[in-house]
Amino acid sequence: KNIVVYGVGKPPEKVPDGMLAFEEILSDDESNPKIKVYNDDFCFLMYTGGTTGYPKGTVWDGEQRVRGLDYMLINNLIPIFDRLADYPDEAMHGISTLFASDPKLVERIDKFLSNDLVRKVLRSPITKNFSFQLFRMIAGNPYMLKAFGLLQREGVKFLCAAPLFHGAGYEGAFTYLGAIAATTVFLPTPHPFIAREFWETVEKHKVHTAVIVGDAFALPMVEELRKARAEGRAYNLKSLWAIVSSGVRWSPHIKRELLDHLPGLLMVDSMGTSESSGAFASITSSVDNTIQPAGARVVFDKSDFYSKQVYPARVINPQTGKDVKPGSGEIGEFMYGGYMALGYWKCPKKTAHDFRIIDGKRWFFVGDEGTVSEDGKFNLIGRGGNYVINTGGEKVYSEEVEEIIKSHPKVWDVAVMGIPDPRWGQAVTALVELEAGKSCTEEEIVEWCRKRMAGYKRPRHVVFVDKVPRSASGKIDRAIAQKLIAEKLDRA
């Protein structure tokens, strides 16, 4: 109800109209509470999004939560430091605004970073390591951040478009706040998401980076940019250098269209969970010929720049219990090390299953499954557990099929799941939302899939709907989706 301002002093100091001074409302009891706080005290309870079942409360102590959030941004930025020399000139402007707010200084930094010789130096492993270590010194250090603020007087601005009850929104906001003292910008309308407000907010506040949750946000964002271009009302979005998506994958063709509108944008897939502070990023920019899917690097070579990752990762074959061999094509489950939750609130069995000690270290088994390429890249196929469709004795990852159907030029959104089938056990079923004004048949969708996936993965039912149901966090509401499929197929 009230806006509280800190650091201006009690009245008659200058307090903006309609606001309260923190010093004025602070009581004597609150100024020095006689409470001892320890790092291992239970400090935080955050519920998961319920992707693979009923939401569960993740229990955190102070050290795991605070230190974990500090390190999250560091880990996420490793691929950005690795590829800094390869970004397009347009991206360099957004990066320049991170370091300075004065337009003339921004222009000088922009020209400096775009210089061919400078780019050559940036490709050097020595420069990468130095830049990364410098950032680690700055992150979370109030004295270094204060000195940095002499150049960037307006501060780094982070737009939290994802809801704060979702890990992407909450962890993103507090990571940027704690690690680099960023200003958090919120949308005027928290829910439902309004794409025009998003772009207007970026333009108005000169936002540097934003967090969203997959296609539920990205699709209307693209649609609004189309409208703005057609109506001749271009946005000034030069400050925006990166959009981070976490929790739900966003479609390659949507990324490509965003890059068409904003060639200087860096699009970041951040793979993380509510149970751990680990976050592994992959970057897409307009200079990339192919759109890389979400994934992470599993480091085998200590000379690799990715060995700087502050969170260890492994991929374990659930049948053998051994690490997946790079380049073998075998499917394993991804797991995090490092800072993580203590477990699930009042769920001892689930805690024992997901949080395990291996080789003397504690690991969290994520539930994401995929393969490991020869260079150590974890290639996410999809969620295990309830997300896997068992059809005719074969395993089908719903997200893998969704991604292929989404690439159809007439498809706007899709949800894929298994429904009971007397012959196959489960039948792969696609719930499809078409682009506005376009029409398509079930046969067209199946034919599109025929050329791009194995026969057992193709949908046996295609159900068209006005809107694919999604929660406020952007994830598919599978209970409603199942109900829609049942109603449509019963009527058929």
Side-chain angles (χ1 to χ4, degrees):
K1 292 182 179 180
N2 300 295
I3 296 177
V4 180
V5 195
Y6 176 78
V8 294
K10 295 182 180 181
E13 297 290 334
K14 188 177 180 181
V15 179
D17 292 339
M19 300 186 186
L20 301 176
F22 178 76
E23 294 82 359
E24 179 74 7
I25 64 174
L26 191 68
S27 71
D28 292 336
D29 291 339
E30 291 172 314
S31 62
N32 187 23
K34 295 178 181 179
I35 299 171
K36 290 184 178 180
V37 180
Y38 299 93
N39 282 347
D40 58 356
D41 283 345
F42 171 26
C43 79
F44 187 65
L45 183 67
M46 179 178 178
Y47 276 79
T48 66
T51 300
T52 55
Y54 199 75
K56 300 170 288 293
T58 60
V59 180
W60 296 82
D61 66 20
E63 182 178 12
Q64 297 294 322
R65 181 74 285 183
V66 177
R67 295 300 293 157
L69 290 176
D70 282 347
Y71 277 91
M72 180 181 286
L73 184 61
I74 294 172
N75 213 62
N76 244 341
L77 289 178
I78 287 176
I80 289 180
F81 281 102
D82 184 44
R83 296 189 55 196
L84 189 59
D86 302 321
Y87 296 136
D89 288 342
E90 296 92 337
M92 291 305 181
H93 179 81
I95 293 172
S96 299
T97 62
L98 289 170
F99 296 101
S101 51
D102 180 73
K104 291 183 178 179
L105 186 54
V106 169
E107 186 179 351
R108 288 173 187 168
I109 297 172
D110 197 357
K111 287 182 179 179
F112 176 77
L113 292 175
S114 300
N115 183 275
D116 290 339
L117 180 59
V118 172
R119 291 199 179 223
K120 188 175 181 180
V121 173
L122 289 173
R123 288 190 181 93
S124 163
I126 296 174
T127 306
K128 290 181 185 180
N129 290 332
F130 173 78
S131 302
F132 181 67
Q133 293 305 328
L134 181 62
F135 177 76
R136 287 197 65 169
M137 288 173 59
I138 295 173
N141 186 319
Y143 301 104
M144 296 289 285
L145 289 170
K146 193 171 183 179
F148 177 71
L150 296 175
L151 293 175
Q152 179 44 285
R153 292 182 179 276
E154 293 184 9
V156 177
K157 294 173 183 174
F158 168 77
L159 173 57
C160 188
L164 284 176
F165 64 76
H166 187 271
Y170 159 77
E171 292 177 341
F174 280 87
T175 292
Y176 275 84
L177 177 63
I180 57 174
T183 298
T184 307
V185 180
F186 294 101
L187 296 173
T189 307
H191 182 74
F193 176 69
I194 302 171
R196 182 162 183 164
E197 274 192 357
F198 177 90
W199 294 121
E200 287 174 346
T201 303
V202 170
E203 181 178 46
K204 178 181 177 181
H205 295 286
K206 297 178 182 177
V207 167
H208 295 106
T209 183
V211 64
I212 64 172
V213 185
D215 282 352
F217 291 78
L219 287 168
M221 286 161 60
V222 165
E223 189 174 31
E224 170 56 22
L225 288 176
R226 288 179 190 168
K227 286 182 181 178
R229 178 180 284 181
E231 295 170 6
R233 48 179 181 86
Y235 292 102
N236 182 358
L237 305 171
K238 287 185 177 181
S239 65
L240 186 66
W241 75 288
I243 295 179
V244 181
S245 177
S246 185
V248 179
R249 287 194 285 193
W250 47 348
S251 304
H253 71 284
I254 295 297
K255 289 183 182 179
R256 185 64 70 194
E257 187 166 353
L258 272 171
L259 289 173
D260 175 56
H261 289 278
L262 303 169
L265 188 64
L266 303 182
M267 292 182 296
V268 184
D269 281 287
S270 181
M271 203 175 81
T273 68
S274 301
E275 292 88 346
S276 82
S277 297
F280 297 83
S282 55
I283 313 295
T284 302
S285 76
S286 57
V287 299
D288 296 323
N289 294 322
T290 58
I291 302 288
Q292 294 295 323
R297 285 290 287 272
V298 183
V299 179
F300 300 99
D301 182 0
K302 290 187 178 180
S303 65
D304 187 345
F305 181 69
Y306 281 80
S307 65
K308 308 293 180 192
Q309 288 182 163
V310 291
Y311 286 102
R314 294 172 68 179
V315 183
I316 298 290
N317 185 318
Q319 275 74 46
T320 65
K322 296 181 179 179
D323 290 270
V324 165
K325 287 185 178 181
S328 65
E330 62 179 321
I331 295 175
E333 182 178 355
F334 192 81
M335 58 191 220
Y336 289 99
Y339 294 106
M340 65 185 74
L342 305 180
Y344 295 115
W345 181 249
K346 297 182 179 180
C347 294
K349 289 184 178 179
K350 182 66 175 169
T351 297
H353 179 270
D354 290 359
F355 299 86
R356 305 180 217 168
I357 304 293
I358 299 178
D359 300 331
K361 292 183 179 180
R362 193 164 183 258
W363 297 88
F364 172 65
F365 282 72
V366 178
D368 289 335
E369 297 184 1
T371 61
V372 179
S373 57
E374 291 184 3
D375 64 353
K377 169 83 183 301
F378 171 68
N379 302 297
L380 174 65
I381 296 176
R383 295 288 297 180
N386 295 335
Y387 263 43
V388 176
I389 302 167
N390 291 293
T391 179
E394 299 283 359
K395 290 173 68 176
V396 177
Y397 291 87
S398 57
E399 290 166 300
E400 184 183 17
V401 181
E402 285 169 2
E403 199 156 311
I404 291 172
I405 296 176
K406 281 181 182 180
S407 66
H408 190 287
K410 294 181 180 179
V411 172
W412 185 248
D413 199 5
V414 63
V416 171
M417 56 198 66
I419 64 169
D421 185 273
R423 181 179 178 186
W424 304 103
Q426 285 185 303
V428 180
T429 304
L431 195 68
V432 176
E433 176 187 344
L434 297 176
E435 284 222 34
K438 295 191 177 178
S439 60
C440 188
T441 65
E442 180 175 350
E443 290 72 24
E444 282 183 70
I445 299 295
V446 173
E447 186 59 32
W448 180 266
C449 295
R450 192 187 309 278
K451 301 172 183 177
R452 293 165 175 81
M453 65 178 73
Y456 68 90
K457 297 180 181 180
R458 291 198 302 268
R460 300 190 179 278
H461 305 285
V462 177
V463 175
F464 294 100
V465 291
D466 295 332
K467 194 79 176 172
V468 170
R470 290 185 178 271
S471 66
S473 65
K475 295 187 177 183
I476 296 167
D477 190 323
R478 295 191 168 264
I480 296 178
Q482 289 276 14
K483 185 179 178 181
L484 285 172
I485 288 171
E487 289 174 356
K488 296 277 185 177
L489 292 181
D490 282 347
R491 279 202 294 267

